[in-house]
Amino acid sequence: MTDLAEALRRAVRGEVGFDVTSRALVTMDASNYRRVPLGVVAPRDADDVAAVLAVCRARGVPVVARGGGTSIAGQATGAGVVLDFTRHMNRLLDLDPDGRTAVVQPGLVLDRLQEAAAPHGLRFGPDPSTHSRCTLGGMIGNNSCGSHSVAWGTTADSVRELSVVTARGQRLRPGRDWAGAPDGLRELAAGELARLRTGFPDLPRRISGYALDALLPEKGADVARSFCGSEGTLGILTEAVVRLVRAPRARALAVLGYGDESAAAEAAAGLLPLAPLTVEGMAADLVRSAAGLPKGGAWLFVETGGESAGEARARAEEIVRAADVVDALVVTDAGAQRALWRIREDASGTATRLPDGSEAWPGWEDCAVPPARLGAYLRDFRALLSAHGLRGTPYGHFGDGCIHVRIDFDLLTEAGVGRFRRFSEELAGLVVEHGGSLSGEHGDGQARAELLPRMYGAETVRLFERAKALWDPDDLLNPGMLVRPAPLDTNLRFSVLPGRPVDVEFGYPADGGDFRAAVRRCVGVAKCRTATASGPAVMCPSFRATGEEEHSTRGRARLLHEMLAGELVTDGWRSPEVRDALDLCLSCKGCRSDCPVGVDMATYKAEFLHHHYAGRRRPAAHHSMGRLPEWLRWAARTRTAPLLNVLASLRPFAAVGKRLGGIAAERDIPRLAPRTFTGWWRTRRAAPASGPAGKLVVLWPDTFTEHLSPSVGRAAVRVLEAAGLRVTLPPTLLPRAAALGTGRSRSAAALLTARRARVCCGLTYVSTGQLDRARAVLRRTLDLMEPVLRARVPVVVLEPSCAAALRTDLPELLPDDPRAAELSAAVLTFAEALERHAPHWTPPAVDRPVAGQTHCHQHAVLGDSPDRRLREAAGLTGVLSGGCCGLAGNFGFEKGHFEVSKACAEDQLLPSLRGAPEEALVLADGYSCRTQLAQLAGVRGRHLAEVLAQALDPAEPRAGS
C-alpha cells in the first residue's frame, strides 16, 4: 500500500488518500455490500485518471469509479483504488441552448445542471429521487432513469457522446456509427447480429447486462449508448455530451388514490396514452403522514405539463376523469407540488423501516416488467414474499413497470442469509416469467449479476464477458460486477459487526436499545449530501460548509460502522478518526427529522464522546461550556456578574479567559445579566387574574433565560398571563405540593434544599458527552419536578434546545425512570402552551414582516406549526428560513470552529436577513441564534414572546437584557 500510495502521489495532481478515514468513507455505497479499498484518489482531470490507471495497471490493482456514491447494488465499492469525481471533476463545461446540449464532467451533481439549464427553458430528462446529490457520471454508469422516464426515457436516451479512458490508457470518444469503439467490438457485434436482435427484452426499463443491442446497425451502432449502464467495468468516463429537453412552462400534479398498490399498478399502464410526464406509485406504509394526500391505501403521482397553468391543469383533470380512483387531488401550486414530491422521493429511506420499526434492506430494489403486466407481477411478488415469511412495501415507477422495494431480510444470521439467496433465485425466475429485467434502474452490481444467466441465458452472458475483455482485457475496472460476479450473498456489510450489543448510555428506543441497529439506520441514500438547502430543511450544515464526505451524516455513520466492525478503524471508542469526523457535527439534530431513515447523529456524537473521554482528560471547552450551568449559578450566587462582564470587555483578560476555556479567539464572550430571571420573579407582583382562574403552567427557567436573556422570561410571563394563564416556576412550586393534590410533605430542610437547587435539562452536558453528569442532573431535576408531574401541570420551555433535550434526551438517557417520560410529555413550547391552554386568546396585532430562522431543534424535534399559527394570528408575515445558525450551543464558541460556524450562518440565516424588508422584525427563539446574529451581523434577534409582549405594552421600553 505504501508503494502504491507514493506512486500515485507522484503521478497525479489530485488528492491521494490512503489514511483510515479516506478508506472508511467508501467501504460501502447504498447497498448491502462492503469492501475495504486500498485508497482513494480525487483526480483533477483526464490526465490524472490516465495516470491512476497506469500506476494501478502496473501493479494489478483494481480501479472503481464512484459518482455520488449511492449505487444500490454494490457497484460503487471495491477493494482497489476508488476514484472520487465529486471533488474536482464536477463542472458544467458548456451549455448550448440552441443545440439543446450540455458538456459535463462525471462529478457534476444533476441539480447543478438543471439549475443552469432552467433559465433557457431546458432540463435534463432523467431525474432520480436523489437528484440533489447524484452525479452525471453515476447516472451514466447505472443508466439511471427517475420519475420522468415515461416522458423522456433513461440516461442512455439522453447521451450524445462520451469521453472515456480505457484501462490500458486509450482515450476514446464513444458515439454513434461506431465512433469510439475499441478494437474488435464491431467485429464482435457483426458475428452476433441474430442474438443482439432476439436476446434482449424490449422494455422501457431494461437496465440489466450490457446494452450490446445498441450496436445494431438499425439502432445507429451507438457505442455511447451501449456504454451506459456498464457500471464502470468498461472504461472510466471523464466527460459527456448530453441532450437536454424542453421543459413545460407549467405543470400540474394529479395524485390518484387507490385501495392498495396492486390496484394502482393495474391502472398505471392505462394512463400512458394520455402522455403524462410521470406515473409514480407508492403505498400508505411508506408515508409518515398522509396529510395533504387524497384518501386511499396507495397513490399514483401523475404529473402533466402545458404551455400554461390552465393547460397543465386541464390535462391533469383529464387523467383524473380517465382513472377509476377512490379519491383524487390536482395541485398546481409549485410549493405544494414540491411538498408532495418530497414524500415520494423520501421513500428510498422510509422504506428501510417497516411500520412496526423492523429493518428492511435493498437487494431486489428495482426489477422491471412490461407495464401492462405490473399488477399481475405484484400479486405474484406478494405471494413469493409470503411464502418466504418476508415483508416489503413496493413503490416506484409504475408507468414503466419498475418497482422499488426494501425487504426485511435477515442479513445478520447464517439462516437469514440463506433465505436471502433462495428468495433471490426464485424472484429472478418470477421476473423472467413476466418478461422483465432483473434491474430496471440501479444496475446489477453484485446484487443481481450472478443471476443474469436466468434472464439472458448462458450464451448471452458469455457475450458480455467477451465484450468486457475487448474494453478491459486485464479485468482492472470494477471486477466482480456484471461479468464473473462475486456471489450475491458474500461481502455483506453486516457480517463484520459485533455479534452482541455494545454497552451504551442512551436507550435507543427506536432501535430496540441496540447501538448497532442505530448505526445500521444509515443505508447511504445521502440526502445529507445535498449542497443547497431548500425549504425548512436543516441537514447537514457542516457538509454544506465543508463539502467533505466525512462531515456529512452519512460519512459519520460510515465511520461509526467501521468503528464497530473493528477491521479498518481499530481503536473502538478511542478512535481519533471518528472523533475528528464528529468534531464538526453541530448536534443540530437536523438528521433526526430530515434523514429519511431518522439517523440521529447528535445522539451518536454524545454517546461517542462519553466513551471516548472516559477516564481521559477532556478538552477545555467541555469544562467551560459543558458545565456552563454550574459556572453561571456560581456567578449568580457570588454576585460577580458585573465584575465578570468588565473583565470580559478588557481584551487581555478576555484573551486569557478564552484561551483557558478553549473558546474561539474570534468570539466575544456574552454578557451576564445583572439580575437573573428568577431573581426578578421573586420580587415581582403577579398580575391580577381577569375573569375565572386560568390554567396553571410551570415556566421552565432554563440556563440561558435565567442568566443570559432574562428579558425573554419576563416577556413570556407577561404574554402567558395576558392570555389568562397562571404562571409559576419550579421549584418554588414545592411548598404548595399539597395544594396541587400531591398529598406529599417534605421537611423544612428538604424544601430549603429544593429552593436552592435548580432544574436543568442537561443539554450542555449531553452535547459534550458528559452523560454520567447529565444523568445525575436530570435525576435531580426529576426529583424537583415530582410534584409538578403528579399534578400533571404543563411545563412551558422557552429555549428550543432545552425543550428538545427534555423531549428526547431525557427519556432516552433515563429510559427506566417513568418520571422521565412524564416530564417529556409535559413539555410545551411557548406557542404550544398558548394554543392548547388559551385557545380563545387573541394575540396583539403586530402587523410586521418577519425574518430569521426556525431553530434547528424546533424543526427537528418540536415542530413549528403552532409557532406559525401564532405568528399568523399576530399579523407577523413571512416565512422563516431553514438551516442552522451555526453557533449551535457550544459548537460555534469552541476553538477551531469559527469558520465553519460562520459558513453555516451564511448558508441560509444571514442571506435571509439581507433579503428581508427593512421594517422586518428578526425572530430568533434560541439564545445561540440571537448570539450568532449579534456577533456576525450586528442584529438583535428577538424571541416571539418579546415581540408579543412589546405589542401588549407598546409604551414600555424594549428590554435589552
Side-chain angles (χ1 to χ4, degrees):
M1 282 178 57
T2 302
D3 172 66
L4 175 63
E6 289 304 314
L8 288 170
R9 290 189 179 102
R10 289 193 300 268
V12 305
R13 293 182 297 114
E15 291 82 2
V16 176
F18 274 61
D19 57 286
V20 168
T21 298
S22 297
R23 297 164 64 204
L25 291 173
V26 295
T27 55
M28 294 173 282
D29 47 18
S31 71
N32 297 325
Y33 301 100
R34 170 185 176 271
R35 292 179 180 81
V36 179
L38 297 175
V40 182
V41 177
R44 289 189 176 272
D45 51 27
D47 290 341
D48 268 3
V49 172
V52 169
L53 289 169
V55 170
C56 291
R57 184 172 63 251
R59 292 162 175 77
V61 173
V63 177
V64 177
R66 189 177 178 109
T70 53
S71 288
I72 295 180
Q75 60 268 70
T77 66
V81 170
V82 172
L83 297 179
D84 175 11
F85 291 102
T86 62
R87 185 170 301 182
H88 300 301
M89 297 181 68
N90 56 12
R91 290 175 294 153
L92 171 61
L93 300 178
D94 184 60
L95 180 67
D96 179 4
D98 296 330
R100 296 188 187 178
T101 60
V103 182
V104 302
Q105 291 184 313
L108 178 69
V109 170
L110 174 58
D111 270 3
R112 305 291 83 77
L113 173 59
Q114 304 289 40
E115 290 164 2
H120 306 285
L122 302 174
R123 57 163 289 149
F124 189 70
D127 56 347
S129 60
T130 56
H131 53 83
S132 62
R133 60 268 191 199
C134 70
T135 63
L136 271 297
M139 292 179 68
I140 291 169
N142 284 350
N143 192 11
S144 298
C145 310
S147 60
H148 287 87
S149 59
V150 294
W152 297 314
T154 71
T155 297
D157 295 309
S158 298
V159 166
R160 290 280 184 85
E161 186 180 62
L162 304 174
S163 295
V164 171
V165 182
T166 69
R168 291 192 172 178
Q170 189 177 10
R171 302 197 187 196
L172 302 176
R173 299 276 296 181
R176 291 177 65 85
D177 297 324
W178 294 109
D183 292 341
L185 185 62
R186 187 169 188 171
E187 290 74 17
L188 177 70
E192 298 284 351
L193 290 178
R195 186 175 302 281
L196 295 183
R197 289 189 172 110
T198 61
F200 291 78
D202 185 16
L203 289 167
R205 287 294 192 96
R206 174 175 52 80
I207 306 299
S208 281
Y210 291 132
L212 297 182
D213 57 320
L215 301 175
L216 287 166
E218 60 266 30
K219 294 185 179 181
D222 196 336
V223 180
R225 187 182 181 95
S226 74
F227 187 91
C228 293
S230 59
E231 303 181 17
T233 62
L234 301 183
I236 304 297
L237 177 73
T238 60
E239 195 175 295
V241 180
V242 297
R243 180 174 63 90
L244 305 176
V245 297
R246 179 66 61 186
R249 293 181 181 273
R251 301 187 194 199
L253 178 63
V255 185
L256 312 178
Y258 294 88
D260 56 35
E261 88 270 352
S262 292
E266 293 279 5
L271 302 178
L272 297 178
L274 299 176
L277 300 177
T278 70
V279 183
E280 298 289 289
M282 67 184 301
D285 287 350
L286 299 175
V287 180
R288 289 175 174 173
S289 170
L293 290 168
K295 295 191 296 284
W299 299 275
L300 290 181
F301 289 61
V302 185
E303 187 179 76
T304 59
E307 287 299 301
S308 67
E311 182 182 349
R313 171 179 276 280
R315 289 180 176 174
E317 290 172 345
E318 180 186 9
I319 283 173
V320 171
R321 288 192 298 271
D324 182 15
V325 296
V326 173
D327 192 14
L329 174 72
V330 173
V331 180
T332 55
D333 176 73
Q337 288 184 51
R338 284 194 297 272
L340 288 167
W341 274 121
R342 275 196 294 271
I343 296 173
R344 163 61 185 88
E345 290 172 357
D346 282 349
S348 60
T350 55
T352 64
R353 283 296 185 277
L354 298 178
D356 65 357
S358 302
E359 296 171 301
W361 305 107
W364 284 93
E365 180 67 17
D366 62 325
C367 300
V369 299
R373 297 187 62 107
L374 182 60
Y377 166 73
L378 274 179
R379 285 191 293 273
D380 290 346
F381 173 75
R382 285 287 194 186
L384 186 62
L385 281 176
S386 297
H388 284 270
L390 296 170
R391 296 174 298 160
T393 302
Y395 68 99
H397 313 290
F398 283 20
D400 273 337
C402 179
I403 291 300
H404 297 318
V405 64
R406 301 291 172 103
I407 300 172
D408 65 336
F409 296 121
D410 168 16
L411 300 177
L412 303 175
T413 68
E414 184 176 348
V417 172
R419 180 167 60 169
F420 168 62
R421 167 170 281 282
R422 291 191 298 275
F423 175 84
S424 299
E425 292 171 344
E426 291 183 34
L427 181 57
L430 180 63
V431 171
V432 173
E433 286 177 19
H434 282 274
S437 172
L438 302 186
S439 171
E441 181 161 23
H442 296 299
D444 301 304
Q446 186 178 344
R448 289 174 285 270
E450 181 188 353
L451 302 172
L452 284 176
R454 294 171 182 259
M455 175 181 170
Y456 284 109
E459 287 302 316
T460 299
V461 169
R462 279 194 285 273
L463 180 61
F464 292 161
E465 294 174 358
R466 291 162 60 198
K468 159 79 166 172
L470 294 175
W471 285 92
D472 177 24
D474 306 306
D475 201 19
L476 195 74
L477 301 179
N478 215 2
M481 302 296 148
L482 276 176
V483 300
R484 295 179 293 277
L488 61 86
D489 52 357
T490 59
N491 301 316
L492 294 172
R493 64 173 174 163
F494 311 114
S495 63
V496 296
L497 294 178
R500 296 179 179 177
V502 296
D503 292 332
V504 287
E505 301 299 311
F506 284 96
Y508 301 101
D511 298 293
D514 191 344
F515 186 67
R516 300 169 304 169
V519 171
R520 287 199 303 267
R521 277 184 174 271
C522 180
V523 293
V525 296
K527 191 176 179 182
C528 52
R529 280 183 55 96
T530 301
T532 303
S534 60
V538 172
M539 180 184 71
C540 176
S542 50
F543 172 76
R544 288 198 296 275
T546 68
E548 297 290 340
E549 171 77 5
E550 70 177 292
H551 300 136
S552 69
T553 305
R554 181 181 72 171
R556 295 174 180 124
R558 291 289 180 261
L559 282 160
L560 286 168
H561 188 285
E562 294 303 326
M563 179 192 81
L564 293 177
E567 176 185 349
L568 187 55
V569 176
T570 57
D571 299 331
W573 294 112
R574 301 296 198 195
S575 166
E577 294 86 7
V578 179
R579 178 201 63 207
D580 292 347
L582 289 169
D583 181 54
L584 292 188
C585 171
L586 285 81
S587 297
C588 67
K589 291 187 178 287
C591 48
R592 188 180 178 111
S593 61
D594 294 347
C595 172
V597 294
V599 169
D600 185 0
M601 195 53 62
T603 297
Y604 306 169
K605 176 181 180 179
E607 184 78 61
F608 175 83
L609 292 177
H610 170 83
H611 295 281
H612 185 76
Y613 288 110
R616 304 170 83 184
R617 182 179 178 182
R618 283 180 169 272
H622 287 198
H623 298 289
S624 65
M625 288 176 280
R627 299 174 62 182
L628 185 66
E630 300 171 40
W631 306 128
L632 294 180
R633 284 199 299 271
W634 172 83
R637 277 199 312 270
T638 58
R639 300 183 179 179
T640 54
L643 174 61
L644 293 173
N645 287 337
V646 170
L647 293 176
S649 67
L650 300 174
R651 186 173 298 175
F653 288 100
V656 171
K658 287 187 278 189
R659 186 164 61 250
L660 293 176
I663 297 172
E666 300 90 339
R667 288 292 179 187
D668 294 329
I669 298 176
R671 293 177 61 83
L672 306 184
R675 183 167 63 159
T676 63
F677 170 55
T678 54
W680 167 82
W681 173 264
R682 285 192 296 268
T683 62
R684 77 181 287 269
R685 287 187 177 183
S690 58
K695 175 76 174 180
L696 179 66
V697 297
V698 170
L699 186 60
W700 184 273
D702 65 84
T703 295
F704 306 101
T705 299
E706 171 75 351
H707 300 283
L708 298 165
S709 294
S711 63
V712 173
R714 296 197 296 268
V717 171
R718 174 71 180 95
V719 176
L720 293 171
E721 289 182 341
L725 302 177
R726 292 185 295 134
V727 181
T728 189
L729 269 62
T732 54
L733 198 61
L734 286 171
R736 289 179 281 167
L740 289 170
T742 64
R744 295 178 60 125
S745 62
R746 292 173 179 262
S747 67
L751 290 176
L752 181 61
T753 301
R755 288 192 183 100
R756 288 177 177 172
R758 286 289 179 264
V759 294
C760 180
C761 69
L763 170 69
T764 60
Y765 306 102
V766 171
S767 62
T768 52
Q770 301 180 71
L771 300 185
D772 288 339
R773 192 179 295 267
R775 196 177 283 110
V777 165
L778 291 170
R779 284 200 182 101
R780 183 193 72 205
T781 293
L782 291 175
D783 290 340
L784 294 170
M785 292 294 290
E786 194 166 307
V788 177
L789 299 178
R790 289 180 179 274
R792 300 186 183 279
V793 179
V795 179
V796 183
V797 185
L798 301 173
E799 174 63 41
S801 56
C802 295
L806 292 170
R807 284 263 183 97
T808 58
D809 295 332
L810 167 62
E812 291 175 17
L813 271 175
L814 298 175
D816 298 326
D817 191 330
R819 299 175 304 170
E822 291 172 9
L823 180 52
S824 172
V827 167
L828 298 176
T829 66
F830 174 70
E832 284 175 333
L834 290 170
E835 185 169 83
R836 293 188 193 180
H837 299 298
H840 303 299
W841 177 69
T842 301
V846 183
D847 297 330
R848 294 270 297 275
V850 295
Q853 187 174 60
T854 300
H855 193 286
C856 53
H857 288 184
Q858 181 107 33
H859 166 82
V861 176
L862 308 168
D864 70 336
S865 296
D867 296 75
R868 286 188 275 110
R869 289 190 287 268
L870 179 57
R871 293 198 302 268
E872 182 180 352
L876 294 168
T877 59
V879 178
L880 302 185
S881 74
C884 177
C885 73
L887 196 61
N890 58 292
F891 175 85
F893 269 97
E894 288 186 11
K895 183 180 178 181
H897 290 173
F898 179 76
E899 291 302 324
V900 170
S901 174
K902 184 178 177 182
C904 291
E906 285 288 357
D907 182 46
Q908 291 196 69
L909 176 58
L910 297 185
S912 75
L913 298 189
R914 298 183 191 115
E918 187 175 345
E919 69 276 16
L921 292 171
V922 179
L923 291 181
D925 281 2
Y927 176 75
S928 291
C929 306
R930 295 193 296 272
T931 302
Q932 187 80 310
L933 287 167
Q935 295 199 1
L936 295 187
V939 172
R940 181 175 179 250
R942 304 172 72 195
H943 194 286
L944 181 57
E946 294 180 286
V947 173
L948 296 180
Q950 174 67 24
L952 286 170
D953 301 308
E956 291 291 324
R958 293 183 181 180
S961 65

